[in-house]
Amino acid sequence: MSTPETPVVRTERIGSALLITLDRPEARNAVNAAVAAQLAAALDELEADPALRAGVLTGEGGAFSAGMDLKAALRGESPEVEGRGFGGLTESEPAKPLIAAVEGFAMGGGFELALACDLIVAAEDARFGLPEVKRGLIAAGGGVIRLPKRVPHHLAMELLLTGEPVDGRRAGELGLANRVTGSGQAVAEALRLAERLAENAPLALATVKRVVRAADGAPDAEAFAFQREQMKTLMASADVREGMTAFAERRPARWTGR
C-alpha cells in the first residue's frame, strides 16, 4: 500500500515542459491519497518555475488512470486534496497550460483528470469512460459538469448514463481529443504540442485561461468587463512590448513572463 511518502507521481523536465507521470502501474494508476497529494505537488512545481511553460500529464505502464482507487476509498482514504478536488487537479486552476497524454484506460476519475486539462492527446486505442453509474455513483470529479460542455448534450448524456467507454479514435471524432496518435505515441505528440505553446507569451497564455474560465456561463457583459480588466494588466506588461518589438524587428520574441 502506498503512503504519502511513496513515489507514485514522477516529474521530468523536458525542454520547457514538465512531464508528470502517474506511477502506480500495478493499480493502473488509480488515484489514492498519495497520488492526489503528489500530483498536487507536481502541479505546484510546474507553476513555481518560470522556465517551465506547460505541463504534460500521463500514466505509467500503458494506462492513463483507472480513476479512484476503490480499495483505498473503502479503507477511508480520500482521493481529493482540499480546495483542489479529485487527484489534486479537478478543482484547481493552474495558470500554465496542461496537456493530457492518454494511453490505455482513462476511466472514471482518470477521464475527469483528462477533462481538467486544457488539451488532450489520445492514442487511437485509448479508452475513455465514466462508469460511475454502474457502481451507484456519478462522475462527481468534474465529469457530469465538464463533459456536457465539451461535446453535444445527447452524446454527453449517453456516456454519462450508460457508463460505456469510447476509444481514442472516437474521442477525436467527438472533439474530446485535440490529437489522435498511434499506440504509444501520445506522450511524444503532447510534448511537441507543449513546445508549440512555449513559443507564445506566458502571460498571454495565462490570461487566455483566466478569461475562458470567467466567461464560462457568464453573461457577455460580465465576460467582456472581466476581459477588459485583464487586458489592462496584459497591455502594461513587458511581454506585450517585447512581442510588438520582436514583430517589428522580424525576430523571435524573448519572453520574460513579466
Side-chain angles (χ1 to χ4, degrees), residues 15-38:
S16 60
L18 185 68
L19 179 61
I20 303 170
T21 304
L22 308 181
D23 193 10
R24 292 187 73 210
E26 75 286 354
R28 288 184 174 175
N29 302 315
V31 178
N32 58 8
V35 170
Q38 292 179 33

Side-chain angles (χ1 to χ4, degrees), residues 29-215:
N29 302 315
V31 178
N32 58 8
V35 170
Q38 292 179 33
L39 178 52
L43 294 172
D44 287 344
E45 179 183 349
L46 171 64
E47 294 291 291
D49 189 340
L52 293 170
R53 298 295 181 81
V56 172
L57 177 63
T58 194
E60 182 61 53
F64 184 73
S65 173
M68 180 172 65
D69 186 329
L70 296 179
K71 293 180 181 179
L74 286 172
R75 294 194 298 267
E77 285 190 35
S78 173
E80 299 190 358
V81 173
E82 186 175 358
R84 297 187 177 203
F86 178 79
L89 171 59
T90 60
E91 295 176 45
S92 67
E93 296 184 348
K96 295 179 182 178
L98 190 60
I99 305 169
V102 180
E103 298 276 356
F105 286 102
M107 303 298 288
F111 191 2
E112 290 172 315
L113 291 177
L115 286 171
C117 295
D118 300 296
L119 304 171
I120 297 176
V121 176
E124 59 189 0
D125 56 354
R127 301 285 282 176
F128 295 86
L130 295 168
E132 283 84 352
V133 291
K134 296 177 179 289
R135 301 169 188 146
L137 300 168
I138 68 169
V144 171
I145 294 171
R146 288 194 170 107
L147 187 61
K149 298 176 183 178
R150 306 290 194 271
V151 300
H153 172 83
H154 293 104
L155 293 175
M157 293 303 288
E158 179 180 350
L159 292 174
L160 288 164
L161 295 176
T162 66
E164 295 300 319
V166 296
D167 63 20
R169 189 176 298 278
R170 180 60 174 156
E173 293 170 351
L174 295 177
L176 278 169
N178 299 82
R179 304 278 192 278
V180 178
T181 74
S183 180
Q185 299 301 310
V187 170
E189 179 63 24
L191 288 169
R192 283 191 288 269
L193 193 52
E195 286 304 308
R196 289 187 62 186
L197 298 183
E199 296 172 2
N200 301 320
L203 286 180
L205 296 176
T207 301
V208 166
K209 292 191 61 171
R210 282 195 298 270
V211 173
V212 168
R213 283 194 294 259

